[in-house]
Amino acid sequence: MNSHEMALSSEQLRALYKTMTLIRRTEEQLARAHQMGLVPGPCHTYVGEEAIATGVCANLRRDDVVFSTHRGHGHALAKGVSAREVAAELFGKVTGCSQGRGGSMHLFAPEIGLMGTSGIVGPSILQGAGAGYSFKLLGSDRVSVAFFGDGAVSNGAFHEGLNLAAIWDLPVIFVCEDNMYATEVPFREATPNQNVAERARVSYGMNAVTVDGNDVLAVYQAAQEAVTGARAGKGPSLIECKTYRTRPHAEGMRDGGYRSAEEIDEWKKRDPIATFKSWLIANDQADSDAFSALDDDVQTTVEDAIEFARSSPFPDPATAADFIFSTQE
Amino acid sequence: MREITYTEAAREALAEQMAIDPSIFVVGEGIGERGGNFNTTLGLYEQYGPMRLRDTPIVERGFVGMCAGAAMTGTRPVVDFMFIDFILDSMGELLNQISKVQYMSSGRIKMPIVLRGCIGIGGAAATHHSGSYYSIFAHIPGLRVALPSTPYDAKGLMKTALTGDDPVLFLEHKLLLNRRGRVPEQAYSIPFGQAAVVRSGSDATVVALTVMLPKVLAICENLAREGAEIEVIDPRTVAPLDIDRILESVHKTGRLLIVDETFGPCGIGAEISALVMENGFDDLDAPIARLNGLHTPTPYSPTLENAIIPDQAAITRALQDLLAE
């Protein structure tokens, strides 16, 4: 880790820590709520992968856009959707960011550039390219980010989307979160070449790097270069982030039969938040008082969010067919 | 009034709206400098260049998914498929994304995208270039489906497609593309969900879809000489479907035939028939009749191809049977 090249202030470094912690604490509470039956549908957590959304979104402006995955709570929170709106959406409440029509897999907050989490693997790559096309056509310097997992890179959307972005020089940052398993299928069994950055470079002539996805500063630095390049008209790039989810594919699912407890424990030792906390202390960027204040602040935010979600009303059943078209039928 | 072709009429609306709205761009194979395999964009590349007339590799899923993202972020893509059969490679993007984003986002995101291509049986195009699929599209909430059958409608419906904020399937029957008709030079639009009563009559109602309309009209002229006055309705859009106009007509005539080149099972005729049964049963003097093409992939050889389309004799017979009920 090296913060100097990126010219990050202590305040910015602490903000990275705070975002990662917010994602972690929010999801811990959502997982608990799911166990209690308060989240009626699926809940795919991002626990262990928080450094990626945090490091990438810290480089984005409010008007830049993000297209996300089924594991998208972290992307939403890092892009600036409030924990209240995320929690309420998972609870199925009208105060959620999709007013209860989406749930975990369809979080939308276009006003701040969250263009949707998704229940289908692949379309984020294509839609991310499309936003890049819009920005280029409109002469804007906005950029677009497409998040996707290792499970998407053998899908046609990966190849078609990267190819289109490359031939038309679109301002898109493709962020592959390689957590080693597509649901429960190991990446090593899914493709002969698991080097995603190499595939982007060799096949599509794209700038691409591989980083430790559990190192928020490494992700931040790669994203900074990619975003700066895209904004300056240098076209698309890809960041391959090696990471791991330490919870099951989805809450409540059996987590055995495809990976070992030892493997999970090994990755827990590389927890991105604990690692970064140690780095901050070792580099005199924050002391225990500072961490207490940050952690307390996050705790208050998350408790408030869960209480907000719990106490919010459900949507009116009479509105079930609203918003199918741009104008009400 | 001047006469122009169906394709020219649709292109006129596109050109007119591209001049007004700089966020419109077209993607497809050969729609750039070449001007489209069916001349859908002829002359536009010279005016607007490659960013707005974008030739693509043959990756329908890729560019449809890409255009979904573009429509979500402030531009207005027109996807020109050439043959609509090619849309099938992008059905996931169409049915899971394009049709659902407005709903999933509770209306926080719009989806202004036009997906156009030619449909229908004719010219020995065989089964990968002869599909129509509109009953599939009409089944899905969130999609508008326009089926212009005249040059006048092609221009007016295209204008509506390009000025609304919803996804529109704009389906052009290949045998209609070069038909000529009267089209005003000035701009106009035809709202979706407004059927046209193309011919008035009091003895029976025929709903004729797309290419079946000119065939049905010719037969009605023959029957008129024998004293039968048939009312002919062109729905113009099947999603939304102007069922009120059809019910009004059935109220007057008491008899209904739906003529559609595409498949009968789960088709538009089945839907119209059910709606009339539910809402106009007491007006019916005879069972509702449907005449469809055969439920088969499209064969190549002209003798086989002709055998699967409702022809003049079949339509005449169906109408005579209905009048005799």
Side-chain angles (χ1 to χ4, degrees), chain A residues 230-246:
Chain A
R231 231 187 267 297
K234 291 179 182 165
S237 51
L238 180 140
I239 305 169
E240 176 189 18
C241 305
K242 299 288 192 186
T243 189
Y244 198 83
R245 63 168 162 76
T246 52

Side-chain angles (χ1 to χ4, degrees), chain A residues 294-314:
Chain A
L294 288 168
D295 290 341
D296 286 351
D297 200 8
V298 167
Q299 192 60 30
T300 305
T301 301
V302 173
E303 282 171 11
D304 166 74
I306 298 296
E307 181 47 36
F308 174 78
R310 193 194 294 268
S311 60
S312 287
F314 281 105

Side-chain angles (χ1 to χ4, degrees), chain A residues 97-99 101 106 108 110-111 115 120 126-127 130-131 133-134 155 160 168 320 322-326 329, chain B residues 25 51 54-55 59 61-62 66 69-70 72-73 75 96-97 102-106 108-109 142 144 166:
Chain A
C97 61
S98 305
Q99 297 179 30
R101 278 175 188 75
H106 311 291
F108 286 88
E111 299 83 357
M115 305 309 289
I120 307 291
L126 302 174
Q127 290 170 13
Y133 202 94
S134 277
N155 186 292
E160 297 185 20
W168 299 330
D322 285 0
F323 303 118
I324 297 169
F325 291 106
S326 60
E329 299 279 281
Chain B
F25 68 100
M51 265 315 279
R54 178 59 82 184
D55 276 328
V59 288
R61 183 192 175 189
M66 190 202 85
M72 292 164 75
T73 49
T75 53
N96 254 328
Q97 311 294 333
Q102 298 196 87
Y103 185 81
M104 290 191 289
S105 68
S106 279
R108 293 167 86 168
I109 298 180
R144 306 291 195 194
D166 297 319

Side-chain angles (χ1 to χ4, degrees), chain A:
Chain A
M1 289 193 179
N2 184 338
S3 68
H4 301 302
E5 290 169 31
M6 293 167 269
L8 283 166
S9 67
S10 296
E11 195 181 5
Q12 287 172 307
L13 291 166
R14 286 200 290 265
L16 294 175
Y17 171 84
K18 189 172 176 181
T19 300
M20 286 200 288
T21 309
L22 174 68
I23 298 169
R24 176 71 57 87
R25 298 284 167 266
T26 301
E27 288 200 307
E28 285 172 349
Q29 290 305 316
L30 290 173
R32 193 160 300 155
H34 190 271
Q35 287 157 13
M36 293 164 66
L38 296 170
V39 174
C43 176
H44 307 90
T45 74
Y46 196 57
V47 173
E49 307 184 24
E50 296 90 345
I52 304 169
T54 302
V56 170
C57 292
N59 283 286
L60 299 180
R61 298 193 316 228
R62 184 182 164 89
D63 64 346
D64 293 328
V65 295
V66 161
F67 293 83
S68 167
T69 69
H70 58 285
R71 203 171 297 293
H73 308 154
H75 308 137
L77 291 165
K79 192 66 177 75
V81 184
S82 72
R84 276 184 163 203
E85 275 200 286
V86 171
E89 187 59 33
L90 267 80
F91 278 52
K93 298 301 182 70
V94 72
T95 51
C97 61
S98 305
Q99 297 179 30
R101 278 175 188 75
S104 166
M105 290 192 288
H106 311 291
L107 304 173
F108 286 88
E111 299 83 357
I112 57 166
L114 180 74
M115 305 309 289
T117 61
S118 175
I120 307 291
V121 168
S124 65
I125 298 171
L126 302 174
Q127 290 170 13
Y133 202 94
S134 277
F135 301 153
K136 185 160 177 163
L137 177 60
L138 298 172
S140 162
D141 69 347
R142 296 161 72 187
V143 303
S144 166
V145 174
F147 288 103
F148 52 95
D150 53 277
V153 307
S154 297
N155 186 292
F158 173 81
H159 299 279
E160 297 185 20
L162 263 65
N163 185 57
L164 295 177
I167 56 176
W168 299 330
D169 270 330
L170 305 179
V172 187
I173 299 95
F174 297 101
V175 180
C176 177
E177 302 176 319
D178 173 8
N179 67 11
M180 297 172 53
Y181 299 95
T183 312
E184 286 93 13
V185 177
F187 195 27
R188 64 179 180 276
E189 292 177 14
T191 180
N193 180 5
Q194 292 114 48
N195 188 325
V196 180
E198 182 181 272
R199 291 165 78 164
R201 271 193 306 271
V202 174
S203 301
Y204 304 109
M206 197 175 287
N207 285 320
V209 293
T210 304
V211 300
D212 176 356
N214 283 26
D215 178 347
V216 69
L217 293 181
V219 174
Y220 183 94
Q221 182 170 14
Q224 188 178 50
E225 285 170 21
V227 169
T228 306
R231 231 187 267 297
K234 291 179 182 165
S237 51
L238 180 140
I239 305 169
E240 176 189 18
C241 305
K242 299 288 192 186
T243 189
Y244 198 83
R245 63 168 162 76
T246 52
R247 295 185 70 90
H249 165 69
E251 288 308 298
M253 279 177 67
R254 185 170 58 85
D255 198 29
Y258 69 102
R259 62 181 188 176
S260 67
E262 292 75 25
E263 183 182 283
I264 298 170
D265 287 341
E266 274 308 302
W267 277 92
K268 279 184 176 170
K269 289 178 197 156
R270 298 175 54 186
D271 182 273
I273 300 176
T275 310
F276 189 49
K277 185 173 181 178
S278 303
W279 184 90
L280 289 170
I281 293 168
N283 287 272
D284 295 327
Q285 299 295 338
D287 56 21
S288 59
D289 284 350
F291 283 118
S292 299
L294 288 168
D295 290 341
D296 286 351
D297 200 8
V298 167
Q299 192 60 30
T300 305
T301 301
V302 173
E303 282 171 11
D304 166 74
I306 298 296
E307 181 47 36
F308 174 78
R310 193 194 294 268
S311 60
S312 287
F314 281 105
D316 178 354
T319 66
D322 285 0
F323 303 118
I324 297 169
F325 291 106
S326 60
T327 49
Q328 211 57 24
E329 299 279 281

Side-chain angles (χ1 to χ4, degrees), chain B residues 41-106:
Chain B
T41 56
L42 202 64
L44 296 176
Y45 183 89
E46 289 72 10
Q47 270 180 282
Y48 298 114
M51 265 315 279
R52 296 188 65 194
L53 279 302
R54 178 59 82 184
D55 276 328
T56 62
I58 304 172
V59 288
E60 275 75 15
R61 183 192 175 189
F63 60 68
V64 170
M66 190 202 85
C67 285
M72 292 164 75
T73 49
T75 53
R76 194 178 274 281
V78 177
V79 182
D80 189 331
F81 287 97
M82 197 176 345
F83 293 97
I84 205 67
D85 304 83
F86 305 157
I87 201 173
L88 300 183
D89 274 16
S90 63
M91 284 300 255
E93 307 310 317
L94 178 65
L95 304 191
N96 254 328
Q97 311 294 333
I98 288 170
S99 73
K100 293 179 180 172
V101 161
Q102 298 196 87
Y103 185 81
M104 290 191 289
S105 68
S106 279

Side-chain angles (χ1 to χ4, degrees), chain B residues 84-88 91 119 127-138 145 171 262-263:
Chain B
I84 205 67
D85 304 83
F86 305 157
I87 201 173
L88 300 183
M91 284 300 255
I119 61 170
T127 202
H128 284 171
H129 289 61
S130 299
S132 289
Y133 314 108
Y134 43 77
S135 62
I136 298 177
F137 303 135
V145 184
L171 306 176
T262 69
F263 310 135

